[in-house]
Amino acid sequence: MTAAQGPRGLWACAVASFAESALLPLPVDAILVPVMLADRRQVWKAALITAVASVVGGCVGYLIGVFLYETLVVWLIDLYGWEETFKRIQERFHDEGVWIVLIGAITPLPYKLIAIASGVQSLPFLLFLGASILGRGLRFFAVAVALYYFGPQIRDLLDRYATIIGWIMVIVLILGFVMIEWVT
C-alpha cells in the first residue's frame, strides 16, 4: 500500500494498463486496486488514468492489427497459442465486431487480442474507439465505485486474506482466457 501511494502508483497504473491493452498479459487490477485502496481520494483519478491509458494501448493494438499482421500479430498469436481463438474471433467480427470489442473491454477477456483483431478485421476505427472508451470506462470506474464505497472493508479483507485473494485473481485471469474460448 505504501508503494501504491502518490504519483508513482498512478504512473504504474497507466503503464500497466497501456501495456496490457497493447501487447503484454499484465494484471492491471493487481496494480490498480492497491493504488485505489492506498488513497480513497485518488480512485476517480486512478480510474480515469487507467481507462485512458488502456484505450490508448488498445488503439496501438488496433494499429498493430492494421499494419503488422503478417509479422508481429502472427508471432503474438503463436506466442499465446491463440490460433483457433483468433480465427473464431475473425469469423464473428463482420456481424458482431462492436459487441465483441465492448465485451472484451469490460470483461477479463484479453482486450489486446480484441484490439488487434479489430485492426486485422478493419472494424471502423471510430466504432472501435467508442466501444473501447465505453467498455474500459465502465470496467475501471466500476472498480473505483466499489473501492470508494467499500474500500476500508475491502482493505481489511485483503490484509487478512491476501493469499486466498491472490489465488482467486489468478483463477479469474485463467477464466478470462477460458471465456474467450467459450464466447468465440
Side-chain angles (χ1 to χ4, degrees), residues 2 16 20 44 48 65 80 84 86 88 96 103 109 111 114 125 149 156 160 163-164 166 176 180:
T2 304
E20 183 274 332
W44 312 117
L48 179 63
Y80 294 125
E84 289 301 314
F86 196 77
R88 286 194 302 271
E96 305 165 12
I103 290 167
L109 294 172
Y111 176 64
I114 304 298
F125 181 74
Y149 291 104
D156 289 343
R160 278 189 260 155
T163 303
I164 293 170
I180 200 163

Side-chain angles (χ1 to χ4, degrees), residues 32-176:
L32 180 62
V33 170
V35 167
M36 289 181 168
L37 288 175
D39 186 354
R40 184 175 182 215
R41 298 167 298 171
Q42 296 278 359
V43 296
W44 312 117
K45 189 175 184 179
L48 179 63
I49 288 170
T50 303
V52 168
S54 181
V55 170
V56 171
C59 291
V60 169
Y62 180 95
L63 293 173
I64 288 169
V66 169
F67 295 111
L68 299 174
Y69 177 74
E70 293 297 324
T71 55
L72 184 59
V73 175
V74 170
W75 177 77
L76 285 171
I77 290 169
D78 290 341
L79 176 70
Y80 294 125
W82 287 337
E83 294 87 1
E84 289 301 314
T85 302
F86 196 77
K87 183 179 174 184
R88 286 194 302 271
I89 288 172
Q90 283 181 299
E91 291 167 358
R92 295 182 70 177
F93 247 92
H94 179 68
D95 296 326
E96 305 165 12
V98 172
W99 292 109
I100 291 170
V101 173
L102 186 60
I103 290 167
I106 294 171
T107 64
L109 294 172
Y111 176 64
K112 77 189 93 347
L113 182 63
I114 304 298
I116 292 169
S118 297
V120 170
Q121 291 303 119
S122 301
L123 181 71
F125 181 74
L126 290 179
L127 290 176
F128 168 78
L129 184 62
S132 294
I133 290 170
L134 179 62
R136 292 317 248 187
L138 285 170
R139 181 185 181 330
F140 295 121
F141 277 93
V143 173
V145 166
L147 295 178
Y148 185 81
Y149 291 104
F150 304 106
Q153 297 92 327
I154 293 170
R155 188 172 180 166
D156 289 343
L157 284 172
L158 283 174
D159 289 342
R160 278 189 260 155
Y161 304 107
T163 303
I164 293 170
I165 292 170
W167 280 109
I168 290 170
M169 289 181 74
V170 167
I171 291 168
V172 167
L173 180 65
I174 291 168
L175 287 175

